[in-house]
Amino acid sequence: MTTTATLTGFQPTGHLHLGNLLGAVRPVVAAQRRTRPVTFVADLHAMTMPHDPGELRQLTLEVATLLLAAGVDPDRSLFYLQSQVPEHTELHYLLECATRYGEAHRMIQFKERGRGRSTRLSLLTYPVLMAADILLHDTAEVPVGDDQRQHVELARDVATRFNTHYGQTFVVPRAVKPEVAARVMDLSDPSAKMSKSRGAAGTLFVLDPPEVIERKVMRAVTDSGDTVSYEPDARPGVANLLEILAGCAGGSPAALASGFTSYGALKRAAAEAVVATVRPVQARFTELSRDPGYVRRVLADGAERAREVTADTVHRARKAVGLIA
Ligand code: AMP
């Protein structure tokens, strides 16, 4: 059994944003120099909430194209579309048979996102699909933020139970702190993570035109102070701008702070750095978008290569539970 260093899924539930770029795409691109990370567009995960089929199709292609434009290299990454690798759903079912209802029901995200809606059953079982994503690739360590830690714990419990009942089948994964904890916060509400689903005013999308980026950054929420200092707890808005600047232009947020005497100057520098970071990605995206057939071929090829690994894992699991001799 091999172990992979990085496994990252991108849900096509909206447009990719700066948080995705700095917090997830960049680590994948860095990991490509040392290992062969697994990078997939998690289209099945995008179906746990009400969705529009046409939009899902369009966003899936957009996210895949953007990942390639941002440096995911299909020769150095195992890059594919989750739904094109049927082992994800097959293992999902096998793992459901080793998961207790109460375990899934306890997940905080289910409680938060399922509240007051006509909840899809897949929202309850999605952490089991995530467990399948992880276990399929014999992933030993999963770098995750606090919000996903509970799901990795579930994957760990289910893998351990499966191994105990049916014999050693899966590598038991461990949640680890990401090496560089780039976490980009929402510009309008710096207490919340920048995300695809929050209001567009606080989210910098990778495909936003320069003037939109400038406008959003200039309107970012700061505080009533008038000096620039890096104090994430006391001054989260200013700290976020400094982190964004550091993430895009280099340097440390604390050291950068001393170079500014006003919020306006900091915002202008941050906006400029974001524009400089996304510009080449946007240019490459435009190029790649001229030939969607190319992106589809890359994904199909990636799925085929992924199946060389995932088919083996599912074979082990099927054998262990008694489906095949
Ligand atoms: P998602 O947007 O949920 O599909 O997440 C795709 C990847 O981006 C995951 O690895 C997330 O941890 C990462 N990510 C999402 N939002 C942020 C953010 N605001 N800051 C840093 N990383 C993020």
Side-chain angles (χ1 to χ4, degrees):
M1 279 184 234
T2 55
T3 56
T4 48
T6 325
L7 175 117
T8 317
F10 294 84
Q11 302 181 60
T13 45
H15 307 288
L16 277 199
H17 53 75
L18 190 71
N20 296 133
L21 192 66
L22 299 183
V25 183
R26 223 179 236 183
V28 168
V29 174
Q32 284 177 169
R33 292 191 212 112
R34 315 182 301 268
T35 60
R36 196 165 178 239
V38 179
T39 312
F40 61 96
V41 181
D43 53 349
L44 297 173
H45 284 294
M47 293 175 57
T48 56
M49 304 292 268
H51 80 284
D52 175 78
E55 197 175 61
L56 176 62
R57 256 194 305 278
Q58 186 243 319
L59 282 171
T60 297
L61 185 64
E62 179 185 302
V63 169
T65 309
L66 257 179
L67 291 173
L68 292 171
V72 172
D73 178 347
D75 291 327
R76 292 172 177 272
S77 226
L78 200 49
F79 177 60
Y80 65 92
L81 183 56
Q82 188 187 27
S83 66
Q84 289 182 346
V85 175
E87 284 78 13
H88 281 268
T89 39
E90 187 166 6
L91 189 59
H92 178 198
Y93 180 74
L94 298 183
L95 295 181
E96 272 188 357
C97 298
T99 309
R100 302 194 178 115
Y101 171 75
E103 276 176 320
H105 199 256
R106 264 202 305 277
M107 297 293 119
I108 295 162
Q109 279 208 356
F110 173 71
K111 289 188 182 152
E112 285 175 358
R113 291 170 64 199
R115 199 177 290 147
R117 298 169 196 251
S118 136
T119 310
R120 292 183 176 184
L121 187 57
S122 55
L123 185 66
L124 177 71
T125 59
Y126 118 84
V128 188
L129 179 58
M130 186 172 151
D133 302 338
I134 296 168
L135 300 185
L136 269 178
H137 292 282
D138 292 330
T139 316
E141 294 188 340
V142 190
V144 281
D146 290 340
D147 53 341
Q148 288 295 325
R149 188 162 278 269
Q150 201 187 20
H151 294 158
V152 179
E153 288 306 320
L154 179 76
R156 195 180 158 77
D157 291 345
V158 173
T160 305
R161 184 175 308 129
F162 194 103
N163 287 346
T164 307
H165 279 295
Y166 306 116
Q168 182 59 37
T169 308
F170 299 119
V171 171
V172 178
R174 212 161 52 87
V176 294
K177 270 205 176 307
E179 258 173 54
V180 211
R183 194 158 181 258
V184 182
M185 308 309 281
D186 190 280
L187 295 177
S188 327
D189 175 6
S191 67
K193 232 169 80 164
M194 186 176 281
S195 79
K196 303 190 193 95
S197 55
R198 294 186 66 82
T203 304
L204 296 169
F205 295 108
V206 179
L207 291 178
D208 273 344
E211 62 278 12
V212 173
I213 291 175
E214 275 152 27
R215 195 170 59 236
K216 288 180 182 176
V217 175
M218 293 315 284
R219 289 186 187 159
V221 167
T222 49
D223 52 47
S224 57
D226 53 10
T227 55
V228 178
S229 62
Y230 182 62
E231 297 169 74
D233 291 331
R235 312 177 73 188
V238 177
N240 191 34
L241 288 170
L242 286 164
E243 282 170 15
I244 288 174
L245 176 61
C248 291
S252 85
L256 287 167
S258 58
F260 296 98
T261 51
S262 75
Y263 287 170
L266 168 62
K267 285 179 172 179
R268 275 191 296 279
E272 215 172 278
V274 175
V275 170
T277 299
V278 298
R279 192 181 286 128
V281 181
Q282 292 183 352
R284 181 85 183 114
F285 176 83
T286 307
E287 246 173 67
L288 287 169
S289 296
R290 291 200 191 104
D291 184 6
Y294 167 76
V295 179
R296 291 201 184 93
R297 280 195 300 282
V298 166
L299 288 171
D301 184 51
E304 211 169 291
R305 278 189 281 160
R307 296 195 71 188
E308 288 168 18
V309 179
T310 57
D312 179 61
T313 314
V314 167
H315 182 83
R316 286 200 312 262
R318 284 168 64 94
K319 204 164 166 182
V321 295
L323 290 174
I324 48 176

